[in-house]
Amino acid sequence: TYTGSGEEVSAQFESAFPRVEVLFTLLEEAAEADADDIQASFDPVLGVPVDFFIDYSDNIADEERGYEVLELPSEVAGG
């Protein structure tokens, strides 16, 4: 959901705005793939990832991935 308008993100842009459960999956997959660098911050109350960066290989450019959660959906945040 776009925070400004409340509209649902269209399917073509879902990969740019993944759901919280997808963020957990991305972190798990990176750990299983033995990524060279995984940095993550989690909401201290909810335990969900709010900021992370993954570098799968120090020797390869442009394969890094990162997300920053600016606002949690109400169903996750308890609203």
Side-chain angles (χ1 to χ4, degrees):
T1 304
Y2 290 105
T3 57
S5 66
E7 293 180 46
E8 290 291 318
V9 173
S10 65
Q12 73 187 61
F13 298 116
E14 280 185 8
S15 66
F17 302 99
R19 297 183 181 279
V20 171
E21 54 273 1
V22 174
L23 298 178
F24 279 112
T25 300
L26 293 172
L27 288 167
E28 289 172 5
E29 290 173 351
E32 290 171 2
D34 199 24
D36 285 344
D37 187 20
I38 302 172
Q39 300 174 25
S41 299
F42 296 83
D43 182 279
V45 174
L46 301 172
V48 299
V50 293
D51 185 31
F52 68 85
F53 173 81
I54 301 167
D55 187 357
Y56 292 93
S57 177
D58 289 335
N59 300 322
I60 300 174
D62 297 333
E63 45 51 81
E64 301 90 355
R65 164 177 251 172
Y67 288 94
E68 180 180 16
V69 177
L70 301 176
E71 187 173 317
L72 291 169
S74 59
E75 65 269 14
V76 173

